[in-house]
Amino acid sequence: MSTPSTRLPEGRYGRSSDQRADRILKIVGGVLAVLMLGLVGWLGYHYVAQNEISAQVISFDVSDNAVKVHLEVHKDAGVDGYCTVRSQSEDGAEVGRADFRFDKDATRVDEVVTLRTTSPGTSAELVGCHTG
């Protein structure tokens, strides 16, 4: 004797609720993935295309009450902007922060700026650059 099957005959009663739920989840997941991809693409384009000024710290020299920072700034011609630089002490406390303006028409500005500190700093960090 054989054991009776608990499965329904295929094609007789339509799709099961699990199959419908799986299909809906796949559609919702696909739509969300496309939206997230679009958002990441838009943010990436906005960051790269709209950022008209960038810089990097080439070197720095610390003293008791100041840090001399050698900055290399790249920007579009005719764009004015500023870069924020900060210094921290050995224990990680911020001992100095300042904005330095770059208004020259050149696309590459290589300049040494002096950041005054409240106590001896051990580092110089570029926080960011902005137009305006």
Side-chain angles (χ1 to χ4, degrees):
M1 249 183 150
S2 67
T3 309
S5 174
T6 58
R7 298 180 67 192
L8 298 174
E10 291 196 27
R12 187 173 213 180
Y13 299 105
R15 290 183 169 176
S16 71
S17 62
D18 287 342
Q19 288 175 332
R20 275 185 245 126
D22 287 346
R23 183 168 187 250
I24 290 172
L25 285 174
K26 286 179 184 178
I27 291 171
V28 169
V31 168
L32 288 176
V34 167
L35 288 174
M36 285 298 288
L37 186 62
L39 179 65
V40 167
W42 182 79
L43 289 173
Y45 172 78
H46 180 69
Y47 179 76
V48 171
Q50 302 299 323
N51 195 8
E52 297 171 339
I53 184 170
S54 65
Q56 64 182 2
V57 174
I58 302 298
S59 64
F60 61 91
D61 184 32
V62 297
S63 65
D64 288 341
N65 60 356
V67 177
K68 291 188 179 194
V69 183
H70 182 185
L71 287 176
E72 182 179 314
V73 180
H74 295 275
K75 62 186 188 70
D76 293 340
V79 172
D80 296 340
Y82 64 95
C83 293
T84 304
V85 179
R86 77 174 182 163
S87 180
Q88 293 177 312
S89 64
E90 192 170 319
D91 64 355
E94 187 175 280
V95 294
R97 177 184 287 250
D99 294 332
F100 298 100
R101 294 209 55 85
F102 298 98
D103 299 332
K104 298 177 182 174
D105 284 336
T107 58
R108 182 178 173 275
V109 179
D110 199 8
E111 194 169 317
V112 176
V113 295
T114 301
L115 172 65
R116 294 179 188 242
T117 58
T118 57
S119 63
T122 58
S123 67
E125 177 185 7
L126 178 67
V127 177
C129 294
H130 306 281
T131 58

